Amino acid sequence: MRKGFTFSLPVSVVVLAIFYIYFTTVFIFIDRWFGLMSSPGLMNAIVFTAVALMCVFSYTVAILRDPGRVPADYMPDVEDDQNPMHEIKRKGGDLRYCQKCSHYKPPRAHHCRVCKRCVLRMDHHCIWISNCVGHANYKVFFIFVLYAVVACIYSMVLLVGSLTNDSLEDELQTGGSFRTAYVISGLLLVPLSVALSVLLGWHIYLIFHNKTTIEYHEGVRALWLAEKGGTVYKHPYDLGIFENLTSVLGPNIFSWICPSSRHIGSGLNFRTAYHNAVGASMSK
């Protein structure tokens, strides 16, 4: 569990947005379209509530879970046959060492200037969860974004449906009292749906290639240098799409949409394409 969490302004904005979208969706859009006590109304309210609860739970865990801390006594074992690959500095070729934390960096770990410490398999620091997205909370963060996209699109469908279902007589009877709620919801849901869908697509791409956001940007430079030198660059942690998915989301397909992370290991070493190549050569 993460220590020292305090509510920040971005986190407060997200919490308020979640509660506002939930309230307007259930008690305005569903109620005005189907009637909240009707069978279709209850069914939609139950389904949307379940999605919202998963979204809130995943968001809470992403905030509170420590993304992964480098042990104070960590020391890379260069003679370990089970882990023959070690990341080195681009300049000098030495093992990666963090001058700020005064310890060696495990593979895929990076120093976060905001958290003021090294984070295992760091992806990025996210102000919207007031936390780093790293080894221990990456899957939970991804699941939160997934459920948030589903909730926003679902809410927009209900918004449009309730608008088209409203008759002129209903509008006159209510005196346009819900108009403000519809306008605010529309202004909130449209950009949120677009932004979160782009973010979800980006992280699906990263998972398919077993990369972090930092590794993607490092890979762009490495690819350019490789092409300049007449060589071929391949991301060392790319094991193939299915193995990449299972390494991030878990070996059980049915757990991919659940915010559980029991499969992730210590975060101090990771399988590489080198392991697969050695395994394939030994099996021949």
Side-chain angles (χ1 to χ4, degrees), residues 225-239:
L225 290 173
E227 290 178 349
K228 190 177 179 181
T231 58
V232 177
Y233 171 77
K234 179 176 172 57
H235 181 56
Y237 301 103
D238 189 352
L239 308 174

Side-chain angles (χ1 to χ4, degrees), residues 90 220-231:
R90 286 194 295 266
V220 170
R221 174 176 170 79
L223 183 62
W224 177 75
L225 290 173
E227 290 178 349
K228 190 177 179 181
T231 58

Side-chain angles (χ1 to χ4, degrees), residues 242-264:
F242 184 74
E243 288 198 51
N244 292 341
L245 284 167
T246 55
S247 67
V248 175
L249 301 179
N252 187 349
I253 295 178
F254 297 105
S255 70
W256 285 5
I257 59 172
C258 300
S260 59
S261 303
R262 296 178 181 177
H263 64 284
I264 59 175

Side-chain angles (χ1 to χ4, degrees), residues 17-31 34 36 40-56 147-159 185 189 193:
I18 290 173
F19 280 103
Y20 180 81
I21 290 170
Y22 177 79
F23 179 85
T24 54
T25 301
V26 173
F27 297 104
I28 297 179
F29 307 155
I30 293 177
D31 189 38
F34 303 106
L36 198 53
L42 278 174
M43 182 188 70
N44 277 281
I46 290 170
V47 172
F48 188 80
T49 299
V51 173
L53 286 174
M54 289 299 294
C55 188
V56 170
Y147 281 114
V149 170
V150 172
C152 286
I153 294 175
Y154 195 176
S155 182
M156 277 206 303
V157 170
L158 292 169
L159 184 154
S185 296
L189 286 170
S193 298

Side-chain angles (χ1 to χ4, degrees), residues 170-237:
D170 292 334
E171 185 69 19
L172 291 173
Q173 286 178 354
T174 57
S177 57
F178 293 109
R179 192 175 299 166
T180 303
Y182 277 103
V183 171
I184 294 174
S185 296
L187 292 174
L188 194 60
L189 286 170
V190 172
L192 267 180
S193 298
V194 173
L196 288 171
S197 295
V198 171
L199 182 63
L200 178 64
W202 169 245
H203 281 284
I204 289 173
Y205 166 81
L206 291 177
I207 290 173
F208 276 1
H209 295 83
N210 202 357
K211 293 180 180 180
T212 64
T213 300
I214 293 174
E215 288 169 350
Y216 169 81
H217 292 293
E218 290 178 341
V220 170
R221 174 176 170 79
L223 183 62
W224 177 75
L225 290 173
E227 290 178 349
K228 190 177 179 181
T231 58
V232 177
Y233 171 77
K234 179 176 172 57
H235 181 56
Y237 301 103

Side-chain angles (χ1 to χ4, degrees), residues 53-95:
L53 286 174
M54 289 299 294
C55 188
V56 170
F57 178 74
S58 301
Y59 183 66
T60 303
V61 176
I63 291 174
L64 297 180
R65 182 173 291 173
D66 192 289
R69 188 179 296 271
V70 179
D73 59 349
Y74 172 76
M75 179 69 68
D77 186 358
V78 294
E79 298 181 357
D80 183 6
D81 294 335
Q82 301 300 316
N83 188 29
M85 290 188 65
H86 298 276
E87 293 182 354
I88 59 175
K89 295 179 181 179
R90 286 194 295 266
K91 296 180 180 179
D94 298 325
L95 291 172

